[in-house]
């Protein structure tokens, strides 16, 4: 990059459902492609997005989600029935496939290719027993101060 | 317009056309011309934004039967 200082984007990814994993990764990979320096701080359930045992099988919950598309109209409370989360997830994944949307592992690769910095929150790891070996390659561990050090100079900061 | 490299992003949705452009440009020399075809309706404004932010010049955009054709000059 030229002498001009690179733009920065700081994202906190705090949710681990399929629908909430896409926005941070899409924005990060696109920003990286636009020469923006990006850091994503994964905390709480967000750590699942970079957990290599889980990131290919994130789910979307129909219950308490009135926006969830359904082939037939049905009361939202039915989302509590066994198998509904799996069904909803399957439907959403097939809709994503229909528009050739990348999977979460593919988006993580896209982020890595443009040098998006991915930090896993240390207290979350401690609390859940997840270790760095459970996380995808290229992730580092860190805390609030490291994120803030980057975010304080960021042009865009998002909490997702 | 003659292109040094052509990529096909038809059928792909945001953010993939931009990711593909970035990847293709990184394998090209400054001044070379990249041609990309895309059907994502958002790609017209996305590619323009990408070009203005990264300094890779968007030389031409045309639309042929629902396909957008972009010509970008690598910075």
């Amino acid at each position: 990059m030229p002498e001009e200082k690179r733009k920065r984007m700081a994202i906190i990814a705090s949710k681990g459902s399929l629908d909430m994993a896409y926005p941070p990764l899409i924005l990060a990979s696109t920003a990286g492609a636009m020469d923006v320096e990006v850091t994503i701080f994964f905390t709480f359930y967000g750590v699942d997005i970079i957990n290599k045992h889980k990131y290919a099988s994130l789910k979307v919950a129909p219950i308490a989600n009135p926006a969830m598309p359904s082939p037939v109209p049905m009361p939202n409370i039915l989302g509590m029935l066994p198998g509904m989360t799996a069904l909803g997830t399957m439907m959403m994944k097939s809709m994503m496939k229909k528009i050739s949307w990348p999977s979460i592992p593919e988006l993580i690769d896209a982020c890595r290719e443009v040098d998006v910095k991915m930090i896993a929150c240390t207290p979350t790891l401690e609390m859940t027993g997840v270790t760095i070996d459970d996380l995808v390659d290229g992730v580092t561990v860190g805390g609030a101060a490291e994120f803030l050090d980057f975010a304080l100079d960021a042009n865009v900061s998002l909490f997702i | 317009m003659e292109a040094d490299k052509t990529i096909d992003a038809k059928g792909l949705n945001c953010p993939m056309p931009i990711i593909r452009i970035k990847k293709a440009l990184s394998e090209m020399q400054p001044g070379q011309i990249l041609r990309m075809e895309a059907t994502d309706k958002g790609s017209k404004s996305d590619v323009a934004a990408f070009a203005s932010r990264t300094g890779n010049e968007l030389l031409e955009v045309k639309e042929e039967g629902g396909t957008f054709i972009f010509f970008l000059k690598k910075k």
Side-chain angles (χ1 to χ4, degrees):
Chain A
M1 276 308 287
E3 321 67 46
E4 195 187 329
K5 211 167 172 228
R6 286 173 71 189
K7 299 278 185 194
R8 283 183 163 196
M9 178 163 75
I11 301 177
I12 295 179
S14 68
K15 305 279 198 297
S17 58
L18 182 63
D19 51 323
M20 296 304 274
Y22 273 85
L25 299 183
I26 286 182
L27 288 172
S29 56
T30 304
M34 291 169 79
D35 298 330
V36 175
E37 203 180 342
V38 186
T39 289
I40 315 177
F41 186 75
F42 295 90
T43 186
F44 278 80
Y45 307 108
V47 171
D48 283 5
I49 302 173
I50 47 169
N51 183 324
K52 60 187 173 197
H53 312 298
K54 293 185 171 177
Y55 76 151
S57 52
L58 299 179
K59 294 178 174 55
V60 57
I63 195 158
N65 179 3
M68 184 81 200
S70 170
V72 285
M74 61 163 111
N76 184 266
I77 189 75
L78 293 181
M80 67 178 271
L81 292 173
M84 289 305 270
T85 296
L87 185 68
T89 301
M90 206 175 75
M91 270 178 49
M92 176 138 301
K93 280 191 164 175
S94 85
M95 283 160 60
M96 287 169 166
K97 202 166 182 173
K98 216 174 356 185
I99 64 160
S100 307
W101 233 19
S103 66
I104 295 300
E106 284 168 336
L107 278 176
I108 292 276
D109 283 343
C111 285
R112 221 187 268 122
E113 268 177 39
V114 291
D115 298 322
V116 169
K117 188 166 185 193
M118 298 185 276
I119 305 174
C121 160
T122 42
T124 304
L125 297 181
E126 197 73 11
M127 183 173 76
T128 55
V130 172
T131 70
I132 186 90
D133 298 328
D134 298 315
L135 305 179
V136 299
D137 289 346
V139 173
T140 58
V141 297
E146 185 187 357
F147 174 78
L148 283 171
D149 183 44
F150 179 88
L152 282 166
D153 291 322
N155 307 87
V156 180
S157 297
L158 301 171
F159 182 90
I160 300 175
Chain B
M1 193 176 299
E2 294 264 326
D4 298 286
K5 190 181 184 104
T6 296
I7 50 173
D8 180 4
K10 292 198 292 290
L12 298 179
N13 276 280
C14 165
M16 297 321 284
I18 296 297
I19 306 283
R20 292 283 170 89
I21 287 182
K22 167 72 180 178
K23 196 166 183 182
L25 286 174
S26 70
E27 293 158 358
M28 294 168 63
Q29 301 300 319
Q32 285 191 317
I33 305 221
L34 173 69
R35 174 191 160 107
M36 182 185 74
E37 297 185 3
T39 48
D40 173 11
K41 291 183 183 65
S43 64
K44 199 172 173 185
S45 42
D46 272 355
V47 174
F50 170 86
S52 83
R53 280 288 167 187
T54 57
N56 296 291
E57 195 183 345
L58 180 56
L59 301 172
E60 192 187 339
V61 188
K62 46 186 184 178
E63 196 182 343
E64 285 174 9
T67 299
F68 296 103
I69 303 166
F70 301 93
F71 291 92
L72 282 145
K73 187 171 165 189
K74 182 179 162 114
K75 185 177 66 174

